[in-house]
């Protein structure tokens, strides 16, 4: 299933070569700047949910595993603890992180990742663009939509997604331009609660070895050991997995290169930005605690820095450098 996007990409490249040849090499291929409102999904204001059986099952499993960790931490380790301050502090911290993790998961799952309007690549609309000689647009042959550059078609979502990084079954959604922040927060908070649970399990084992096992938990010693071992396995597994995902996502954000673009080794044709600007593009304005909140929505496209980037792009296009700046405007296969 991974072959068709690659072949499609090659076909697009061949098309671009023919376009340049047709202009006798006098000028580079031109593309039309399009406002972000045009390529924003029509469903951006409505609830977004992918009806994929595998993704729904994985999402339910994710929530059940978090609830299992909640049960073991609260009723096996904290409630029977003799130190009330220890129980309150760790219980508050763990429940806060778990709540933020589930809220981030819900936002990542139910937020439109940046879907391009489906079926908008009609002949009438393309004619209404009033293309000049040498200007081209590309459309996705699978969902028949005008395909912005850096967008890729997802076979699960059945849509083209802007700045698609990958499709994650654990959040039952693509990770794209609009929900990457929530996915990053989800991986971060899951890693933190996994680490916190592992630390508490170690302390609980040490206390129980020094004391009577019957006084360490409300459950029998064999049941307590089994529950703690399962929590250790779950915490270690998800700590490793989410830490790696968090690291790769942060690397993708800082380098402004999605996972698919790295995998396909696509040629970089968009304007290069600083790491700080790339972080702000995903998380919002200047650094604040809102970056860590899944309830804060980044205002994509309304930042002063991006406005400056557009002006730079326009100036470069007038100078004949449309290929390196305005690939972010359009990339639609006709």
């Amino acid at each position: 299933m991974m072959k068709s996007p690659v072949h499609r990409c090659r076909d697009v490249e061949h098309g671009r070569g023919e376009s340049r040849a047709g202009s006798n090499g006098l000028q580079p291929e031109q593309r039309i700047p399009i406002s972000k409102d045009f390529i924003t999904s029509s469903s951006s204001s409505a609830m977004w949910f992918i009806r994929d059986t595998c993704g729904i099952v994985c999402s339910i499993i994710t929530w059940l595993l978090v609830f299992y960790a909640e049960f073991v931490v609260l009723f096996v380790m904290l409630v029977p603890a003799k130190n009330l301050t220890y129980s309150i502090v760790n219980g508050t911290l763990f429940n806060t992180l778990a709540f933020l993790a589930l809220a981030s998961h819900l936002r990542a799952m139910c937020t439109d990742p940046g879907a391009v309007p489906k079926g908008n690549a009609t002949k009438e609309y393309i004619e209404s663009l009033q293309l000049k000689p040498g200007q081209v647009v590309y459309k996705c042959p699978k969902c028949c939509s005008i395909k912005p550059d850096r967008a890729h078609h997802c076979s699960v979502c059945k849509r083209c997604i802007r700045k698609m990084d990958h499709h994650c079954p654990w959040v039952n959604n693509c990770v794209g331009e609009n929900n990457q922040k929530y996915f990053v927060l989800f991986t971060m908070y899951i890693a933190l609660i996994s680490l916190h649970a592992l630390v508490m399990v170690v302390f609980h084992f040490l206390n129980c070895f020094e004391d009577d096992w019957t006084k360490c938990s409300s459950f029998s010693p064999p049941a307590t050991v089994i529950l703690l071992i399962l929590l250790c396995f779950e915490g270690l597994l998800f700590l490793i997995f989410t830490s790696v995902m968090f690291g790769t996502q942060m690397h993708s954000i800082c380098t402004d290169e999605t996972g698919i673009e790295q995998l396909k080794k696509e040629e970089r044709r968009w304007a290069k930005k600083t790491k700080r600007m790339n972080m702000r593009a995903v998380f919002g304005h200047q650094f604040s605690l809102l970056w860590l909140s899944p309830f804060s929505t980044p205002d994509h496209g309304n930042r002063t820095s991006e406005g400056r980037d557009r002006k730079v792009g326009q100036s470069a296009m007038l100078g004949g450098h449309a290929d390196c700046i305005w690939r972010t405007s359009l990339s639609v296969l006709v």
Side-chain angles (χ1 to χ4, degrees):
M1 294 181 66
M2 293 297 294
K3 289 184 178 180
S4 82
V6 176
H7 291 311
R8 187 169 69 254
C9 241
R10 290 175 180 172
D11 292 338
V12 169
E13 292 299 327
H14 291 320
R16 289 170 186 158
E18 293 172 2
S19 176
R20 291 188 181 93
S23 61
N24 297 323
L26 296 178
Q27 60 182 5
E29 176 185 305
Q30 297 179 2
R31 296 174 176 83
I32 302 176
I34 289 185
S35 66
K36 208 162 191 177
D37 294 337
F38 167 76
I39 54 177
T40 299
S41 171
S42 58
S43 63
S44 59
S45 59
M47 176 64 72
W48 174 273
F49 186 76
I50 302 300
R51 294 181 178 87
D52 176 57
T53 304
C54 176
I56 294 173
V57 171
C58 289
S59 299
I60 294 174
I61 291 175
T62 301
W63 280 64
L64 291 177
L65 289 173
V66 174
F67 288 147
Y68 171 78
E70 283 271 3
F71 170 78
V72 177
V73 168
L74 291 178
F75 298 102
V76 177
M77 291 189 289
L78 296 182
V79 172
K82 297 178 181 179
N83 192 329
L84 182 61
T85 303
Y86 173 85
S87 298
I88 293 176
V89 171
N90 283 281
T92 302
L93 178 60
F94 186 86
N95 280 279
T96 301
L97 293 175
F99 172 75
L100 291 173
L102 293 179
S104 300
H105 181 273
L106 197 62
R107 290 300 301 272
M109 180 172 60
C110 298
T111 298
D112 180 353
V116 179
K118 198 172 184 179
N120 66 348
T122 61
K123 181 179 179 181
E124 292 76 14
Y125 181 80
I126 294 177
E127 290 177 350
S128 70
L129 295 177
Q130 299 180 351
L131 302 178
K132 298 178 181 179
Q135 291 179 323
V136 295
V137 292
Y138 299 97
K139 77 175 182 180
C140 175
K142 294 185 177 181
C143 60
C144 195
S145 62
I146 290 184
K147 185 178 180 182
D149 195 37
R150 304 189 70 183
H152 295 84
H153 185 87
C154 176
S155 58
V156 179
C157 297
K158 296 180 174 58
R159 300 286 289 274
C160 282
I161 308 296
R162 287 181 282 115
K163 291 187 69 175
M164 175 182 169
D165 187 87
H166 68 286
H167 183 92
C168 179
W170 295 105
V171 297
N172 188 34
N173 201 359
C174 277
V175 178
E177 185 175 70
N178 292 343
N179 68 341
Q180 189 173 25
K181 170 188 174 179
Y182 309 125
F183 182 76
V184 171
L185 292 180
F186 167 67
T187 57
M188 182 184 73
Y189 286 127
I190 289 294
L192 289 177
I193 64 173
S194 299
L195 178 61
H196 189 200
L198 288 173
V199 171
M200 285 191 291
V201 168
V202 171
F203 276 106
H204 195 74
F205 267 119
L206 293 177
N207 291 332
C208 288
F209 281 133
E210 296 176 357
D211 202 349
D212 187 359
W213 272 89
T214 57
K215 298 179 181 179
C216 286
S217 173
S218 304
F219 299 87
S220 64
T224 301
V225 172
I226 292 174
L227 290 172
L228 292 177
I229 290 177
L230 290 177
L231 180 61
C232 274
F233 178 76
E234 175 191 345
L236 187 61
L237 179 65
F238 278 93
L239 175 61
I240 297 173
F241 177 72
T242 54
S243 296
V244 171
M245 288 302 301
F246 177 78
T248 56
Q249 286 296 302
M250 293 303 296
H251 178 265
S252 295
I253 293 172
C254 291
T255 59
D256 193 20
E257 191 175 21
T258 66
I260 290 182
E261 291 165 351
Q262 294 176 18
L263 183 64
K264 292 183 175 181
K265 297 181 180 180
E266 295 183 359
E267 182 181 357
R268 188 186 185 98
R269 294 177 180 269
W270 52 93
K272 189 174 182 179
K273 301 178 183 179
T274 64
K275 293 180 180 179
R276 182 181 178 183
M277 292 170 63
N278 292 331
M279 292 288 288
R280 290 173 59 184
V282 174
F283 292 97
H285 289 291
Q286 297 288 348
F287 175 76
S288 67
L289 291 178
L290 293 178
W291 280 24
L292 305 178
S293 171
F295 304 103
S296 173
T297 303
D299 55 343
H300 300 287
N302 295 326
R303 287 169 292 280
T304 305
S305 60
E306 290 191 358
R308 289 197 299 266
D309 290 339
R310 291 194 192 96
K311 292 180 181 178
V312 171
Q314 291 172 352
S315 301
M317 190 172 72
L318 293 175
H321 301 288
D323 275 346
C324 38
I325 301 296
W326 278 113
R327 251 185 73 90
T328 55
S329 302
L330 262 183
S331 174
V332 185
L333 171 63
V334 189

